[in-house]
Each structure stands twice: as C-alpha cells, then as structure tokens.
Short mmCIF file of all heavy atoms in Angstrom, two decimals:
data_model
loop_
_atom_site.label_atom_id
_atom_site.label_comp_id
_atom_site.label_asym_id
_atom_site.label_seq_id
_atom_site.Cartn_x
_atom_site.Cartn_y
_atom_site.Cartn_z
N MET P 298 63.07 29.95 -0.33
CA MET P 298 63.39 30.10 -1.74
C MET P 298 62.35 29.32 -2.56
O MET P 298 62.05 28.18 -2.27
CB MET P 298 64.79 29.55 -1.96
CG MET P 298 65.22 29.59 -3.39
SD MET P 298 66.98 29.26 -3.50
CE MET P 298 66.95 27.88 -4.57
N ALA P 299 61.85 29.95 -3.57
CA ALA P 299 60.87 29.30 -4.44
C ALA P 299 61.56 28.27 -5.31
O ALA P 299 62.69 28.43 -5.73
CB ALA P 299 60.18 30.34 -5.31
N THR P 300 60.87 27.20 -5.60
CA THR P 300 61.40 26.15 -6.45
C THR P 300 60.27 25.57 -7.28
O THR P 300 59.11 25.63 -6.89
CB THR P 300 62.09 25.04 -5.61
OG1 THR P 300 62.48 24.00 -6.49
CG2 THR P 300 61.20 24.49 -4.54
N ASN P 301 60.62 25.01 -8.41
CA ASN P 301 59.60 24.37 -9.24
C ASN P 301 59.63 22.86 -9.07
O ASN P 301 59.19 22.13 -9.92
CB ASN P 301 59.75 24.77 -10.71
CG ASN P 301 61.09 24.38 -11.28
OD1 ASN P 301 61.92 23.80 -10.59
ND2 ASN P 301 61.32 24.72 -12.52
N THR P 302 60.16 22.41 -7.93
CA THR P 302 60.21 20.99 -7.63
C THR P 302 58.83 20.48 -7.25
O THR P 302 58.17 21.05 -6.40
CB THR P 302 61.19 20.72 -6.47
OG1 THR P 302 62.46 21.22 -6.82
CG2 THR P 302 61.29 19.24 -6.17
N SER P 303 58.40 19.44 -7.88
CA SER P 303 57.12 18.83 -7.57
C SER P 303 57.15 18.24 -6.16
O SER P 303 58.16 17.66 -5.76
CB SER P 303 56.84 17.73 -8.59
OG SER P 303 55.79 16.92 -8.15
N PRO P 304 56.06 18.35 -5.41
CA PRO P 304 56.02 17.75 -4.08
C PRO P 304 56.23 16.25 -4.12
O PRO P 304 56.68 15.66 -3.16
CB PRO P 304 54.62 18.07 -3.57
CG PRO P 304 54.07 19.11 -4.46
CD PRO P 304 54.83 19.06 -5.75
N GLY P 305 55.94 15.62 -5.24
CA GLY P 305 56.10 14.17 -5.38
C GLY P 305 57.41 13.77 -6.04
O GLY P 305 57.57 12.64 -6.45
N ALA P 306 58.37 14.71 -6.14
CA ALA P 306 59.64 14.41 -6.82
C ALA P 306 60.39 13.32 -6.09
O ALA P 306 60.32 13.19 -4.87
CB ALA P 306 60.50 15.67 -6.88
N THR P 307 61.11 12.50 -6.86
CA THR P 307 61.90 11.43 -6.27
C THR P 307 63.31 11.44 -6.82
O THR P 307 63.58 12.02 -7.87
CB THR P 307 61.28 10.05 -6.56
OG1 THR P 307 61.24 9.85 -7.96
CG2 THR P 307 59.89 9.92 -5.97
N ILE P 308 64.20 10.80 -6.09
CA ILE P 308 65.58 10.60 -6.54
C ILE P 308 65.74 9.11 -6.79
O ILE P 308 65.33 8.29 -5.98
CB ILE P 308 66.59 11.06 -5.48
CG1 ILE P 308 66.52 12.57 -5.30
CG2 ILE P 308 68.00 10.64 -5.86
CD1 ILE P 308 67.41 13.10 -4.20
N ARG P 309 66.32 8.76 -7.93
CA ARG P 309 66.59 7.35 -8.23
C ARG P 309 68.06 7.08 -7.96
O ARG P 309 68.93 7.65 -8.60
CB ARG P 309 66.24 7.01 -9.67
CG ARG P 309 66.43 5.54 -10.00
CD ARG P 309 66.10 5.24 -11.44
NE ARG P 309 64.78 5.65 -11.82
CZ ARG P 309 63.68 4.90 -11.71
NH1 ARG P 309 63.76 3.70 -11.21
NH2 ARG P 309 62.51 5.35 -12.10
N ALA P 310 68.34 6.20 -7.02
CA ALA P 310 69.71 5.81 -6.70
C ALA P 310 70.24 4.88 -7.78
O ALA P 310 69.49 4.37 -8.61
CB ALA P 310 69.75 5.12 -5.34
N ALA P 311 71.56 4.65 -7.76
CA ALA P 311 72.18 3.79 -8.76
C ALA P 311 71.58 2.39 -8.75
O ALA P 311 71.54 1.72 -9.78
CB ALA P 311 73.68 3.72 -8.53
N ASP P 312 71.11 1.93 -7.59
CA ASP P 312 70.52 0.60 -7.52
C ASP P 312 69.05 0.57 -7.96
O ASP P 312 68.39 -0.44 -7.89
CB ASP P 312 70.65 0.02 -6.12
CG ASP P 312 69.86 0.82 -5.07
OD1 ASP P 312 69.18 1.80 -5.43
OD2 ASP P 312 69.96 0.45 -3.89
N GLY P 313 68.52 1.73 -8.42
CA GLY P 313 67.15 1.80 -8.91
C GLY P 313 66.14 2.16 -7.85
O GLY P 313 64.98 2.38 -8.14
N HIS P 314 66.57 2.23 -6.60
CA HIS P 314 65.66 2.57 -5.50
C HIS P 314 65.30 4.05 -5.57
O HIS P 314 66.15 4.89 -5.78
CB HIS P 314 66.33 2.26 -4.16
CG HIS P 314 65.45 2.55 -2.99
ND1 HIS P 314 65.53 3.72 -2.31
CD2 HIS P 314 64.48 1.80 -2.40
CE1 HIS P 314 64.64 3.71 -1.32
NE2 HIS P 314 63.99 2.55 -1.37
N GLN P 315 64.03 4.36 -5.42
CA GLN P 315 63.58 5.76 -5.45
C GLN P 315 63.28 6.24 -4.05
O GLN P 315 62.76 5.49 -3.23
CB GLN P 315 62.33 5.92 -6.31
CG GLN P 315 62.58 5.81 -7.77
CD GLN P 315 61.34 6.15 -8.58
OE1 GLN P 315 60.25 6.19 -8.06
NE2 GLN P 315 61.53 6.39 -9.85
N SER P 316 63.64 7.48 -3.79
CA SER P 316 63.32 8.08 -2.50
C SER P 316 62.91 9.53 -2.74
O SER P 316 63.30 10.13 -3.74
CB SER P 316 64.53 8.01 -1.57
OG SER P 316 65.61 8.73 -2.11
N PRO P 317 62.11 10.11 -1.84
CA PRO P 317 61.70 11.50 -2.00
C PRO P 317 62.91 12.42 -2.02
O PRO P 317 63.91 12.16 -1.36
CB PRO P 317 60.83 11.78 -0.78
CG PRO P 317 60.43 10.44 -0.29
CD PRO P 317 61.53 9.50 -0.67
N GLY P 318 62.85 13.48 -2.78
CA GLY P 318 63.95 14.43 -2.82
C GLY P 318 63.91 15.28 -4.07
O GLY P 318 62.89 15.37 -4.74
N GLU P 319 65.01 15.91 -4.36
CA GLU P 319 65.12 16.78 -5.52
C GLU P 319 65.14 15.96 -6.80
O GLU P 319 65.74 14.89 -6.85
CB GLU P 319 66.40 17.62 -5.44
CG GLU P 319 66.38 18.64 -4.32
CD GLU P 319 65.32 19.70 -4.52
OE1 GLU P 319 65.18 20.21 -5.65
OE2 GLU P 319 64.62 20.01 -3.55
N PRO P 320 64.52 16.45 -7.86
CA PRO P 320 64.51 15.73 -9.13
C PRO P 320 65.88 15.82 -9.81
O PRO P 320 66.68 16.69 -9.51
CB PRO P 320 63.45 16.46 -9.95
CG PRO P 320 63.48 17.84 -9.41
CD PRO P 320 63.78 17.70 -7.93
N THR P 321 66.13 14.90 -10.70
CA THR P 321 67.35 14.93 -11.50
C THR P 321 66.97 15.19 -12.95
O THR P 321 65.80 15.25 -13.28
CB THR P 321 68.10 13.59 -11.41
OG1 THR P 321 67.28 12.59 -12.01
CG2 THR P 321 68.40 13.21 -9.97
N LEU P 322 67.95 15.33 -13.81
CA LEU P 322 67.68 15.54 -15.23
C LEU P 322 67.55 14.22 -15.97
O LEU P 322 67.43 14.20 -17.18
CB LEU P 322 68.78 16.40 -15.86
CG LEU P 322 68.81 17.84 -15.40
CD1 LEU P 322 69.98 18.58 -16.04
CD2 LEU P 322 67.51 18.54 -15.74
N THR P 323 67.60 13.11 -15.26
CA THR P 323 67.44 11.81 -15.90
C THR P 323 66.08 11.72 -16.56
O THR P 323 65.08 12.09 -15.98
CB THR P 323 67.57 10.68 -14.86
OG1 THR P 323 68.82 10.82 -14.20
CG2 THR P 323 67.47 9.32 -15.50
N GLY P 324 66.06 11.28 -17.80
CA GLY P 324 64.80 11.16 -18.52
C GLY P 324 64.34 12.48 -19.12
O GLY P 324 63.18 12.65 -19.44
N LEU P 325 65.25 13.40 -19.29
CA LEU P 325 64.90 14.71 -19.84
C LEU P 325 64.27 14.58 -21.22
O LEU P 325 63.24 15.16 -21.50
CB LEU P 325 66.13 15.59 -19.90
CG LEU P 325 65.95 17.02 -20.40
CD1 LEU P 325 65.04 17.80 -19.46
CD2 LEU P 325 67.29 17.71 -20.51
N ALA P 326 64.90 13.79 -22.08
CA ALA P 326 64.36 13.60 -23.43
C ALA P 326 64.27 12.12 -23.81
O ALA P 326 63.51 11.76 -24.68
CB ALA P 326 65.23 14.33 -24.45
N PHE P 327 65.05 11.28 -23.14
CA PHE P 327 65.11 9.85 -23.47
C PHE P 327 65.04 9.01 -22.22
O PHE P 327 65.47 9.43 -21.15
CB PHE P 327 66.42 9.52 -24.21
CG PHE P 327 66.60 10.25 -25.50
CD1 PHE P 327 67.36 11.40 -25.57
CD2 PHE P 327 66.02 9.78 -26.65
CE1 PHE P 327 67.53 12.08 -26.76
CE2 PHE P 327 66.17 10.45 -27.86
CZ PHE P 327 66.93 11.60 -27.92
N GLN P 328 64.53 7.79 -22.35
CA GLN P 328 64.54 6.83 -21.24
C GLN P 328 65.94 6.27 -21.03
O GLN P 328 66.33 5.97 -19.92
CB GLN P 328 63.56 5.69 -21.51
CG GLN P 328 62.11 6.13 -21.59
CD GLN P 328 61.63 6.75 -20.29
OE1 GLN P 328 61.95 6.28 -19.22
NE2 GLN P 328 60.89 7.84 -20.39
N ASP P 329 66.70 6.13 -22.10
CA ASP P 329 68.07 5.60 -22.05
C ASP P 329 69.01 6.68 -21.52
O ASP P 329 69.10 7.77 -22.08
CB ASP P 329 68.48 5.18 -23.47
CG ASP P 329 69.85 4.56 -23.53
OD1 ASP P 329 70.84 5.25 -23.21
OD2 ASP P 329 69.94 3.38 -23.92
N SER P 330 69.73 6.39 -20.43
CA SER P 330 70.60 7.40 -19.83
C SER P 330 71.75 7.80 -20.75
O SER P 330 72.22 8.94 -20.69
CB SER P 330 71.15 6.90 -18.49
OG SER P 330 71.96 5.75 -18.67
N GLY P 331 72.21 6.90 -21.61
CA GLY P 331 73.26 7.24 -22.56
C GLY P 331 72.79 8.27 -23.58
O GLY P 331 73.50 9.23 -23.89
N PHE P 332 71.59 8.08 -24.08
CA PHE P 332 71.01 9.03 -25.02
C PHE P 332 70.80 10.38 -24.33
O PHE P 332 71.07 11.43 -24.88
CB PHE P 332 69.66 8.53 -25.54
CG PHE P 332 69.75 7.55 -26.68
CD1 PHE P 332 70.39 6.34 -26.52
CD2 PHE P 332 69.17 7.83 -27.90
CE1 PHE P 332 70.47 5.44 -27.56
CE2 PHE P 332 69.22 6.93 -28.95
CZ PHE P 332 69.89 5.73 -28.78
N ASP P 333 70.27 10.31 -23.10
CA ASP P 333 70.00 11.54 -22.36
C ASP P 333 71.30 12.31 -22.09
O ASP P 333 71.32 13.53 -22.16
CB ASP P 333 69.29 11.22 -21.05
CG ASP P 333 68.05 12.05 -20.85
OD1 ASP P 333 67.42 12.44 -21.84
OD2 ASP P 333 67.71 12.32 -19.68
N GLY P 334 72.36 11.59 -21.78
CA GLY P 334 73.66 12.24 -21.54
C GLY P 334 74.16 12.97 -22.78
O GLY P 334 74.66 14.10 -22.68
N GLN P 335 74.02 12.34 -23.92
CA GLN P 335 74.44 12.98 -25.16
C GLN P 335 73.56 14.19 -25.48
O GLN P 335 74.04 15.21 -25.97
CB GLN P 335 74.42 11.98 -26.32
CG GLN P 335 75.43 10.87 -26.18
CD GLN P 335 76.85 11.39 -26.04
OE1 GLN P 335 77.26 12.31 -26.75
NE2 GLN P 335 77.60 10.82 -25.12
N PHE P 336 72.27 14.08 -25.16
CA PHE P 336 71.36 15.21 -25.37
C PHE P 336 71.77 16.38 -24.48
O PHE P 336 71.77 17.54 -24.92
CB PHE P 336 69.92 14.78 -25.10
CG PHE P 336 68.92 15.87 -25.32
CD1 PHE P 336 68.71 16.38 -26.59
CD2 PHE P 336 68.18 16.37 -24.27
CE1 PHE P 336 67.78 17.39 -26.81
CE2 PHE P 336 67.25 17.38 -24.48
CZ PHE P 336 67.06 17.89 -25.75
N LEU P 337 72.15 16.10 -23.25
CA LEU P 337 72.62 17.17 -22.35
C LEU P 337 73.88 17.84 -22.89
O LEU P 337 74.07 19.05 -22.74
CB LEU P 337 72.87 16.63 -20.95
CG LEU P 337 71.62 16.32 -20.15
CD1 LEU P 337 71.98 15.61 -18.84
CD2 LEU P 337 70.83 17.58 -19.87
N ARG P 338 74.74 17.06 -23.54
CA ARG P 338 75.94 17.65 -24.17
C ARG P 338 75.54 18.63 -25.25
O ARG P 338 76.16 19.69 -25.41
CB ARG P 338 76.83 16.55 -24.76
CG ARG P 338 77.53 15.73 -23.71
CD ARG P 338 78.43 14.70 -24.31
NE ARG P 338 79.50 15.34 -25.06
CZ ARG P 338 80.22 14.75 -26.00
NH1 ARG P 338 79.98 13.49 -26.32
NH2 ARG P 338 81.17 15.39 -26.62
N VAL P 339 74.51 18.30 -26.02
CA VAL P 339 74.02 19.22 -27.06
C VAL P 339 73.48 20.49 -26.41
O VAL P 339 73.79 21.60 -26.85
CB VAL P 339 72.93 18.55 -27.93
CG1 VAL P 339 72.24 19.56 -28.83
CG2 VAL P 339 73.53 17.42 -28.76
N LEU P 340 72.68 20.34 -25.35
CA LEU P 340 72.12 21.51 -24.68
C LEU P 340 73.20 22.39 -24.09
O LEU P 340 73.05 23.61 -24.02
CB LEU P 340 71.14 21.08 -23.58
CG LEU P 340 69.88 20.35 -24.03
CD1 LEU P 340 69.02 20.02 -22.83
CD2 LEU P 340 69.11 21.16 -25.06
N ASP P 341 74.32 21.80 -23.70
CA ASP P 341 75.44 22.55 -23.13
C ASP P 341 76.07 23.51 -24.15
O ASP P 341 76.71 24.48 -23.78
CB ASP P 341 76.50 21.59 -22.59
CG ASP P 341 77.55 22.27 -21.77
OD1 ASP P 341 77.19 23.15 -20.94
OD2 ASP P 341 78.73 21.93 -21.92
N THR P 342 75.88 23.26 -25.44
CA THR P 342 76.48 24.11 -26.47
C THR P 342 75.60 25.31 -26.84
O THR P 342 76.02 26.16 -27.62
CB THR P 342 76.77 23.31 -27.76
OG1 THR P 342 75.54 22.89 -28.34
CG2 THR P 342 77.65 22.10 -27.47
N ILE P 343 74.41 25.39 -26.27
CA ILE P 343 73.48 26.47 -26.61
C ILE P 343 74.08 27.84 -26.32
O ILE P 343 74.00 28.75 -27.15
CB ILE P 343 72.13 26.29 -25.89
CG1 ILE P 343 71.41 25.08 -26.49
CG2 ILE P 343 71.27 27.54 -26.00
CD1 ILE P 343 70.18 24.67 -25.71
N ALA P 344 74.69 28.00 -25.16
CA ALA P 344 75.23 29.31 -24.75
C ALA P 344 76.30 29.83 -25.70
O ALA P 344 76.44 31.04 -25.89
CB ALA P 344 75.79 29.22 -23.34
N SER P 345 77.04 28.92 -26.33
CA SER P 345 78.10 29.34 -27.24
C SER P 345 77.65 29.35 -28.70
O SER P 345 78.47 29.50 -29.61
CB SER P 345 79.32 28.43 -27.08
OG SER P 345 78.99 27.10 -27.41
N GLY P 346 76.35 29.17 -28.94
CA GLY P 346 75.83 29.21 -30.30
C GLY P 346 75.93 27.90 -31.05
O GLY P 346 75.71 27.86 -32.25
N GLY P 347 76.26 26.82 -30.35
CA GLY P 347 76.43 25.53 -31.02
C GLY P 347 75.14 24.81 -31.32
O GLY P 347 75.11 23.91 -32.13
N ALA P 348 74.06 25.18 -30.64
CA ALA P 348 72.78 24.52 -30.87
C ALA P 348 71.66 25.50 -30.57
O ALA P 348 71.85 26.47 -29.85
CB ALA P 348 72.65 23.29 -29.97
N ASP P 349 70.50 25.21 -31.12
CA ASP P 349 69.30 25.98 -30.83
C ASP P 349 68.40 25.08 -29.99
O ASP P 349 68.19 23.92 -30.34
CB ASP P 349 68.60 26.36 -32.13
CG ASP P 349 67.30 27.09 -31.90
OD1 ASP P 349 67.37 28.29 -31.58
OD2 ASP P 349 66.25 26.44 -32.01
N ILE P 350 67.88 25.60 -28.90
CA ILE P 350 67.11 24.75 -27.97
C ILE P 350 65.90 24.12 -28.64
O ILE P 350 65.61 22.93 -28.43
CB ILE P 350 66.72 25.53 -26.70
CG1 ILE P 350 66.20 24.55 -25.65
CG2 ILE P 350 65.71 26.62 -27.00
CD1 ILE P 350 66.13 25.12 -24.26
N GLY P 351 65.20 24.86 -29.46
CA GLY P 351 64.03 24.31 -30.14
C GLY P 351 64.40 23.18 -31.09
O GLY P 351 63.77 22.13 -31.09
N GLU P 352 65.43 23.41 -31.89
CA GLU P 352 65.88 22.37 -32.83
C GLU P 352 66.36 21.13 -32.09
O GLU P 352 66.11 20.01 -32.53
CB GLU P 352 66.99 22.91 -33.72
CG GLU P 352 66.51 23.91 -34.73
CD GLU P 352 67.64 24.50 -35.56
OE1 GLU P 352 68.79 24.53 -35.09
OE2 GLU P 352 67.35 24.91 -36.68
N ALA P 353 67.04 21.33 -30.96
CA ALA P 353 67.55 20.19 -30.19
C ALA P 353 66.39 19.32 -29.69
O ALA P 353 66.42 18.09 -29.83
CB ALA P 353 68.39 20.68 -29.02
N PHE P 354 65.36 19.94 -29.11
CA PHE P 354 64.23 19.17 -28.60
C PHE P 354 63.41 18.54 -29.73
O PHE P 354 62.97 17.40 -29.61
CB PHE P 354 63.34 20.03 -27.70
CG PHE P 354 63.82 20.07 -26.28
CD1 PHE P 354 64.61 21.12 -25.85
CD2 PHE P 354 63.50 19.07 -25.39
CE1 PHE P 354 65.07 21.16 -24.54
CE2 PHE P 354 63.95 19.10 -24.08
CZ PHE P 354 64.73 20.15 -23.65
N ILE P 355 63.22 19.25 -30.83
CA ILE P 355 62.47 18.69 -31.96
C ILE P 355 63.20 17.48 -32.54
O ILE P 355 62.60 16.44 -32.82
CB ILE P 355 62.22 19.76 -33.04
CG1 ILE P 355 61.18 20.76 -32.52
CG2 ILE P 355 61.75 19.13 -34.35
CD1 ILE P 355 61.03 22.00 -33.39
N THR P 356 64.51 17.61 -32.69
CA THR P 356 65.29 16.48 -33.21
C THR P 356 65.25 15.31 -32.25
O THR P 356 65.09 14.16 -32.67
CB THR P 356 66.74 16.92 -33.48
OG1 THR P 356 66.72 18.00 -34.42
CG2 THR P 356 67.57 15.78 -34.01
N ALA P 357 65.39 15.58 -30.95
CA ALA P 357 65.35 14.50 -29.95
C ALA P 357 64.02 13.75 -30.00
O ALA P 357 63.99 12.53 -29.86
CB ALA P 357 65.59 15.07 -28.56
N ARG P 358 62.93 14.47 -30.20
CA ARG P 358 61.61 13.83 -30.26
C ARG P 358 61.48 12.91 -31.46
O ARG P 358 60.66 11.99 -31.45
CB ARG P 358 60.51 14.88 -30.30
CG ARG P 358 60.37 15.62 -28.98
CD ARG P 358 59.25 16.57 -29.01
NE ARG P 358 58.00 15.79 -29.04
CZ ARG P 358 56.81 16.31 -28.96
NH1 ARG P 358 56.67 17.61 -28.87
NH2 ARG P 358 55.74 15.56 -28.98
N ARG P 359 62.27 13.12 -32.50
CA ARG P 359 62.19 12.30 -33.71
C ARG P 359 63.00 11.01 -33.59
O ARG P 359 62.89 10.13 -34.43
CB ARG P 359 62.68 13.10 -34.91
CG ARG P 359 61.76 14.29 -35.20
CD ARG P 359 62.23 15.07 -36.39
NE ARG P 359 62.10 14.23 -37.58
CZ ARG P 359 62.74 14.45 -38.72
NH1 ARG P 359 63.55 15.49 -38.82
NH2 ARG P 359 62.58 13.67 -39.74
N ILE P 360 63.82 10.89 -32.54
CA ILE P 360 64.66 9.70 -32.36
C ILE P 360 63.93 8.69 -31.48
O ILE P 360 63.63 8.98 -30.33
CB ILE P 360 66.01 10.09 -31.71
CG1 ILE P 360 66.76 11.08 -32.61
CG2 ILE P 360 66.85 8.84 -31.43
CD1 ILE P 360 68.00 11.67 -31.98
N PRO P 361 63.64 7.51 -32.01
CA PRO P 361 62.97 6.49 -31.21
C PRO P 361 63.87 6.01 -30.07
O PRO P 361 65.09 5.90 -30.24
CB PRO P 361 62.73 5.33 -32.19
CG PRO P 361 62.89 5.93 -33.54
CD PRO P 361 63.85 7.07 -33.39
N ASP P 362 63.28 5.76 -28.89
CA ASP P 362 64.06 5.28 -27.76
C ASP P 362 64.86 4.04 -28.13
O ASP P 362 64.34 3.09 -28.69
CB ASP P 362 63.14 4.95 -26.58
CG ASP P 362 62.80 6.18 -25.75
OD1 ASP P 362 63.57 7.14 -25.78
OD2 ASP P 362 61.76 6.15 -25.07
N GLY P 363 66.14 4.08 -27.83
CA GLY P 363 67.01 2.93 -28.05
C GLY P 363 67.51 2.75 -29.47
O GLY P 363 68.30 1.85 -29.73
N ASP P 364 67.11 3.60 -30.41
CA ASP P 364 67.53 3.45 -31.81
C ASP P 364 68.86 4.15 -32.02
O ASP P 364 68.91 5.35 -32.30
CB ASP P 364 66.46 4.01 -32.74
CG ASP P 364 66.74 3.72 -34.20
OD1 ASP P 364 67.87 3.27 -34.52
OD2 ASP P 364 65.85 3.94 -35.02
N ARG P 365 69.94 3.42 -31.90
CA ARG P 365 71.28 3.99 -32.02
C ARG P 365 71.66 4.34 -33.46
O ARG P 365 72.65 5.01 -33.70
CB ARG P 365 72.31 3.06 -31.40
CG ARG P 365 72.06 2.84 -29.92
CD ARG P 365 73.22 2.17 -29.23
NE ARG P 365 72.93 1.93 -27.84
CZ ARG P 365 72.96 2.85 -26.89
NH1 ARG P 365 73.26 4.08 -27.17
NH2 ARG P 365 72.69 2.52 -25.63
N ASP P 366 70.87 3.90 -34.41
CA ASP P 366 71.15 4.19 -35.82
C ASP P 366 70.33 5.36 -36.35
O ASP P 366 70.49 5.75 -37.51
CB ASP P 366 70.86 2.96 -36.69
CG ASP P 366 71.82 1.81 -36.37
OD1 ASP P 366 72.99 2.10 -36.04
OD2 ASP P 366 71.37 0.66 -36.42
N ALA P 367 69.46 5.93 -35.52
CA ALA P 367 68.58 7.01 -35.97
C ALA P 367 69.37 8.28 -36.22
O ALA P 367 70.35 8.57 -35.65
CB ALA P 367 67.50 7.26 -34.94
#
C-alpha cells in the first residue's frame, strides 16, 4: 500500500522519547499540543460546513505560538 509517510518519520511517546514509526498529527499547526488539539476540532467541522480549510489554516498561521489571548 502506498503511503506518504516519510522514511525518517518518528513517533513521540508521552515521555518525549522518539522512535521510528508512523507520524502523528502533533504539530500540525502549533507547537503547543493544546492549541493543536483545538485546531483539529476546527478541521473536524469542515465536512459539515462549519469551517473552510483555507480560512482555518490562514487564521492558525496568524496566531503566535503560546498566545492564548490572540
């Protein structure tokens, strides 16, 4: 089966240890996992018309990492 997984992909365990394997969605748009989780919630609404993928990514790029007031 074809995959777009990079040969150098790693998995980060909860303790921060990295090992070779399938990539995760961690760091999709933000370094902060809390921000990234909320961003994934926004992406989840695309199928039902709740968000536009382009607008979601453009807005995410405008939010500075760690800025909870942005």
